[in-house]
């Protein structure tokens, strides 16, 4: 599965963060053996701390309420 989206649930502040990865980020993510290691590199850019989050990646984003 190719990760196009990164979804984070920041339980420290009750925030849902949806990130659509850029082409550059997708290419960079492939250079990491562990996708979670790549996510750590995004913390400052997208203003989150991974140790406060649960995450998932997906190819197609689908939402419902």
């Amino acid at each position: 599965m190719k990760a196009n989206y990164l979804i984070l649930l920041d339980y420290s502040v009750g925030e849902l963060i949806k990130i659509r990865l850029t082409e550059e980020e997708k290419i960079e993510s492939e250079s990491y053996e562990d996708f979670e290691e790549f996510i750590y590199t995004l913390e400052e850019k997208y203003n989150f701390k991974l140790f406060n989050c649960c995450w998932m990646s997906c190819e197609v984003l689908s939402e419902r309420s």
Side-chain angles (χ1 to χ4, degrees), residues 8-17 48-49 52-54:
L8 300 137
L9 175 58
D10 187 335
Y11 48 80
S12 69
V13 294
E15 183 177 40
L16 178 66
I17 305 164
F48 67 89
K49 294 292 181 197
N52 287 333
C53 298
C54 295

Side-chain angles (χ1 to χ4, degrees), residues 4-59:
N4 291 320
Y5 295 91
L6 177 62
I7 312 302
L8 300 137
L9 175 58
D10 187 335
Y11 48 80
S12 69
V13 294
E15 183 177 40
L16 178 66
I17 305 164
K18 298 182 277 186
I19 300 170
R20 183 175 185 173
L21 298 173
T22 65
E23 286 303 316
E24 294 81 17
E25 290 167 341
K26 289 184 227 178
I27 292 167
E28 182 183 347
S29 74
E30 293 172 2
S31 68
Y32 289 83
E33 191 169 314
D34 183 2
F35 191 73
E36 192 166 294
E37 290 177 26
F38 165 69
I39 298 172
Y40 278 108
T41 68
L42 302 176
E43 288 182 325
E44 190 173 314
K45 180 178 181 180
Y46 293 104
N47 194 29
F48 67 89
K49 294 292 181 197
L50 191 56
F51 66 84
N52 287 333
C53 298
C54 295
W55 65 272
M56 68 178 238
S57 62
C58 56
E59 187 172 356

